[in-house]
Amino acid sequence: MFCTVLSYICMRILGEGPDGGEDNACARARKWILDRGGATHIPSWGKTWLSIFGVYEWSGTNPMPPEFWILPSFLPVHPAKLWCYFRTVYMPMSYLYGKKFVAPITPLTLQLREELYCQPYNQINWTRVRHACAKEDLYHPHPWIQDLIWDSLYILTEPLLTHWPFNKLIREKALQVTMEHIHYEDENSRYITMGCVEKVLCMLACWVEDPNGDYFKKHLARIPDYLWVAEDGMKMQTFGSQEWDTGFAIQALLASDLADEIGPVLKRGHEFIKASQVKDNPSGDFKGMYRHISRGSWTFSDQDHGWQVSDCTAEGLKCCLLFSMMPPEIVGEKMEPKRLYDSVDLLLTLQSKNGGVSAWEPARAQQWLELSC
């Protein structure tokens, strides 16, 4: 439902009629959607995007209060405890939810409201569809405790925070703090952000804050990092895998025992790997912004991305160690020992109590929280 509804909307935005597209794609997609209860059964991320676009109501989404960002971080339920991917997605979503931002309503918006639902748009009971999800998208039903939390926030907390004086005393402060986190993550990833989902949400949040501001313009400059044109059309990647791919390719080439014949290739790969290592930790009080150390790491893509990854760091370190045992006239100068030590230090900080190594940052939440997920 998630991909079908969003693809349908994109086709309509790009000019296809409600029955248009190759092989009547729009008509067939709309039938598939309506046969499964309509777009009210899109999962939570879809509900958010549809609310932003104006073809769904924010009152039909479960709360994502930005006030979580101003709670004390020692609380068991706090963004600091969330896995980094979820945290950085929730961050701009909570800002847009707190703003209740809706794009300008256009004739196409009104048409989509008629096309995507099984009943008239103005008759939908948005409160009742908050938990609705098509069976194709329902990987795991909500535990009762999670629905209880959502309902408590929806019925008790949200009405309080959106009315005077709490909307002035608390919500505006929460929105300000949330935007500070967005700007911090943007700056420390050179506006690549952590991935494509966060990228577009953070870019939109910056536009909502100031359509003519530098933050939004800097986001625009990094869109090409995500796009490429293939033989069958334009594609969007998560955030690139240059370092990941290079590390494995270099190890495969070294295993081929052809070093004497491919010296220039190995040297260029070595230089790229050395240049891609992250040289510094995130800026400022990074612990206060819920970030982990990153100096000595390698990312999936390149140094700009800035997000440490344990397996990419291990592969980059392995390549540099292999190159250090080879003639520098073939593969270039070996990496300085200090930078190798930084990588080892980083990897050790990512080791969990059970001996495993987490991908991005150490586990922060208590295991009992899984009961509500």
Side-chain angles (χ1 to χ4, degrees):
M1 182 66 75
F2 180 70
C3 294
T4 306
V5 170
L6 294 187
S7 295
Y8 180 88
I9 291 174
C10 286
M11 286 192 290
R12 296 286 280 115
I13 291 173
L14 293 170
E16 296 290 351
D19 299 316
E22 187 176 348
D23 298 326
N24 298 319
C26 285
R28 292 188 295 114
R30 187 171 65 256
K31 182 180 185 305
W32 191 96
I33 293 166
L34 297 178
D35 286 348
R36 287 157 179 78
T40 53
H41 286 69
I42 197 170
S44 59
W45 284 12
K47 286 176 165 60
T48 297
W49 273 112
L50 266 59
S51 299
I52 292 168
F53 192 62
V55 295
Y56 195 91
E57 295 297 314
W58 280 112
S59 58
T61 67
N62 281 317
M64 295 177 284
E67 285 73 20
F68 272 126
W69 295 94
I70 59 175
L71 292 175
S73 59
F74 62 78
L75 294 176
V77 180
H78 186 274
K81 306 293 196 302
L82 300 177
W83 184 45
C84 54
Y85 257 130
F86 187 70
R87 183 172 71 244
T88 54
V89 171
Y90 170 70
M91 179 178 62
M93 278 188 175
S94 67
Y95 179 84
L96 295 165
Y97 174 85
K99 283 280 190 178
K100 297 297 190 295
F101 172 75
V102 179
I105 304 301
T106 66
L108 177 58
T109 310
L110 300 177
Q111 292 172 33
L112 288 168
R113 288 180 176 183
E114 295 180 0
E115 296 167 13
L116 291 171
Y117 299 101
C118 298
Q119 63 188 109
Y121 186 82
N122 59 6
Q123 295 180 18
I124 297 173
N125 187 327
W126 296 106
T127 300
R128 290 188 177 180
V129 300
R130 287 183 299 114
H131 300 308
C133 184
K135 63 181 179 61
E136 290 83 356
D137 298 64
L138 190 62
Y139 296 114
H140 192 279
H142 284 182
W144 67 268
I145 190 170
Q146 185 179 147
D147 284 341
L148 177 63
I149 293 171
W150 288 129
D151 292 343
S152 299
L153 289 171
Y154 186 86
I155 296 169
L156 302 175
T157 308
E158 192 61 20
L160 189 68
L161 293 171
T162 52
H163 288 84
W164 191 88
F166 299 103
N167 61 338
K168 296 294 183 183
L169 296 175
I170 301 176
R171 174 128 302 179
E172 288 190 6
K173 173 63 176 177
L175 288 169
Q176 178 186 346
V177 171
T178 305
M179 183 52 72
E180 289 172 0
H181 280 275
I182 292 171
H183 291 327
Y184 181 85
E185 295 297 344
D186 288 347
E187 291 286 346
N188 278 277
S189 64
R190 282 75 168 180
Y191 290 83
I192 298 176
T193 75
M194 196 174 187
C196 58
V197 176
E198 299 91 323
K199 168 68 177 178
V200 290
L201 286 165
C202 289
M203 182 168 64
L204 178 60
C206 289
W207 183 86
V208 171
E209 182 193 34
D210 183 0
N212 299 310
D214 288 340
Y215 293 117
F216 176 65
K217 293 175 182 177
K218 290 178 181 178
H219 263 295
L220 291 177
R222 297 312 298 250
I223 288 178
D225 289 76
Y226 282 91
L227 303 177
W228 83 95
V229 179
E231 64 277 3
D232 57 345
M234 181 173 285
K235 306 297 180 69
M236 184 173 188
Q237 57 191 354
T238 52
F239 46 76
S241 58
Q242 298 96 306
E243 166 56 34
W244 174 254
D245 296 338
T246 303
F248 284 126
I250 289 296
Q251 291 180 55
L253 291 172
L254 291 176
S256 69
D257 199 25
L258 296 173
D260 293 337
E261 301 179 32
I262 56 173
V265 174
L266 295 176
K267 188 173 184 178
R268 288 197 297 271
H270 191 191
E271 292 302 321
F272 175 79
I273 291 173
K274 289 191 292 184
S276 297
Q277 188 188 33
V278 178
K279 312 299 190 300
D280 299 297
N281 290 321
S283 63
D285 179 18
F286 60 90
K287 292 183 179 180
M289 303 304 279
Y290 320 130
R291 286 291 297 270
H292 189 58
I293 64 171
S294 57
R295 186 176 61 229
S297 69
W298 275 272
T299 73
F300 265 119
S301 53
D302 56 27
Q303 185 179 195
D304 274 1
H305 185 249
W307 272 92
Q308 67 286 341
V309 185
S310 60
D311 47 351
C312 295
T313 300
E315 303 300 343
L317 176 61
K318 182 178 179 180
C319 287
C320 290
L321 290 173
L322 291 171
F323 280 130
S324 71
M325 296 184 289
M326 300 178 68
E329 58 269 16
I330 296 178
V331 299
E333 293 299 321
K334 65 179 68 176
M335 179 178 273
E336 298 88 342
K338 175 64 169 65
R339 291 172 61 185
L340 299 175
Y341 298 154
D342 287 342
S343 296
V344 175
D345 290 343
L346 182 281
L347 288 170
L348 291 174
T349 68
L350 295 174
Q351 189 170 26
S352 302
K353 293 180 180 179
N354 63 3
V357 179
S358 57
W360 300 89
E361 56 191 10
R364 297 170 174 176
Q366 294 82 3
Q367 194 169 0
W368 60 264
L369 281 175
E370 291 187 13
L371 296 173
S372 65
C373 296

